Amino acid sequence: MADAGGELTILDGIEFSVRSGSAIAITGSSGSGKATLLGLLAGLDVPSEGRVKLAGQDLFSLDEDARARLRAAHVGFVFQSFQLLPNLTALENVMLPLELAGKPAAAAAARAMLERVGLGARLNHYPRTLSGGEQQRVSLARAFVVQPSLLFADEPTGSLDAASGEKIIDLMFSMHKEQGTTLVLVTHDAQLAARCEQQIVLHAGRLAAPAIRA
């Protein structure tokens, strides 16, 4: 990457693999490159060199539209800021990825998933009427309803109090195991990272430690 001062290296020499169905934590201080690495792993950003393979495909041999189709088929996302559409109900937010993918019986599948996360009584509520913990439950339902092979979670408890955050993490790990989803988690929380089988620690854009298996 280049800026007014010349070439800027954000990530350098990062190499690792993730076993299917496992959970991996990417940790490091602010500015260490976690968000950039997540963007590259998801194919949302394109590196100056290097490659990322997802579902057997080299992401950067594909154009933007093909990467988007690959994500739609294999990837779910959970964000710190929830990223729910404010004008859609909880049910409609969870139905959306199913409808975009042309899946049948979207309403029934979304309803079942919201019941799985404990929101069966909140189907017709809009995000503004839900607590932070409830909004993140809707986000989890939306991510898992498409049964992704890979879930990226970016500081999923960063906007929640400790009690709500713990419940969300327990739920996320439970669903990850139920579906056999590979979980890639960006976090500052050492206790949360310790729940993953593998940890990647970044410092100033480089691996500060080898991949650690818990």
Side-chain angles (χ1 to χ4, degrees):
M1 178 182 212
D3 64 6
E7 192 72 17
L8 176 63
T9 300
I10 300 176
L11 294 172
D12 184 25
I14 307 293
E15 183 175 349
F16 62 92
S17 60
V18 182
R19 180 172 52 84
S20 178
S22 67
I24 179 173
I26 300 172
T27 68
S29 60
S30 295
S32 61
K34 300 188 303 297
T36 300
L37 179 57
L38 189 68
L40 291 171
L41 294 177
L44 297 170
D45 299 319
V46 178
S48 54
E49 61 180 77
R51 57 181 191 156
V52 171
K53 294 192 75 172
L54 170 61
Q57 289 272 358
D58 180 353
L59 280 179
F60 308 120
S61 68
L62 306 174
D63 63 23
E64 186 174 347
D65 289 342
R67 291 197 302 273
R69 289 193 294 271
L70 189 65
R71 282 193 297 271
H74 294 284
V75 178
F77 292 91
V78 176
F79 302 97
Q80 177 178 340
S81 56
F82 317 135
Q83 299 289 345
L84 300 177
L85 295 178
N87 296 324
L88 299 183
T89 65
L91 181 63
E92 290 166 342
N93 266 284
V94 179
M95 287 173 60
L96 185 60
L98 295 170
E99 292 176 327
L100 291 174
K103 301 290 186 182
R111 186 176 294 109
M113 187 57 70
L114 283 166
E115 290 172 354
R116 169 64 184 86
V117 301
L119 292 177
R122 309 284 271 170
L123 302 179
N124 296 315
H125 287 69
Y126 290 92
R128 65 181 178 276
T129 69
L130 301 174
S131 69
E134 288 172 333
Q135 290 185 63
Q136 196 62 298
R137 286 173 183 266
V138 176
S139 296
L140 283 176
R142 181 181 60 188
F144 279 105
V145 75
V146 295
Q147 299 185 320
S149 55
L150 174 62
L151 178 70
F152 290 112
D154 187 6
E155 298 285 3
T157 62
S159 298
L160 304 177
D161 61 76
S164 296
E166 185 174 351
K167 291 177 182 177
I168 289 296
I169 290 305
D170 286 343
L171 181 60
M172 184 173 68
F173 272 86
S174 176
M175 296 173 76
H176 138 72
K177 290 177 181 176
E178 286 172 14
Q179 293 196 7
T181 304
T182 303
L183 176 62
V184 177
L185 173 69
V186 170
T187 183
H188 286 93
D189 187 335
Q191 289 185 325
L192 174 54
R195 295 184 62 163
C196 298
E197 294 96 337
Q198 189 176 358
Q199 296 178 42
I200 298 292
V201 184
L202 296 182
H203 176 70
R206 297 184 64 88
L207 287 177
I212 302 168
R213 294 196 173 274

